[in-house]
Amino acid sequence: MLYPAIKALFPEMKDDAMVAQLADDLAAGYLSKDGIMSPESFNFLMAMMTIAEPKLKPMPYADIVALSYLPK
């Protein structure tokens, strides 16, 4: 189920093994259950996104994640 979604989101990602690994990793718990993306998950996402789109400039976790908007 995740594999086709990843292929649709990142059509330039041609390595099927990497897409399958990403789908497995997401299914294994990289998706947040509380709305908070951990720094580890964020770094993994940045790594995958820069592989899929090499021109993408990675951003620091602190510049992207705004935890102050989440309920306490």
Side-chain angles (χ1 to χ4, degrees):
M1 178 190 255
L2 287 171
Y3 186 92
I6 293 168
K7 288 295 279 186
L9 284 171
F10 302 105
E12 298 300 317
M13 190 181 293
K14 304 296 185 201
D15 185 340
D16 288 335
M18 184 177 296
V19 174
Q21 182 65 53
L22 178 56
D24 289 346
D25 289 345
L26 288 170
Y30 275 98
L31 296 177
S32 172
K33 293 174 180 49
D34 61 4
I36 299 172
M37 179 179 276
S38 71
E40 295 81 16
S41 292
F42 178 82
N43 290 335
F44 178 76
L45 176 63
M46 280 285 104
M48 291 296 101
M49 290 176 64
T50 54
I51 290 169
E53 180 53 60
K55 294 179 184 176
L56 182 70
K57 179 183 172 194
M59 300 294 293
Y61 177 80
D63 290 354
I64 300 293
V65 180
L67 300 178
S68 62
Y69 293 105
L70 294 173
K72 303 262 179 204

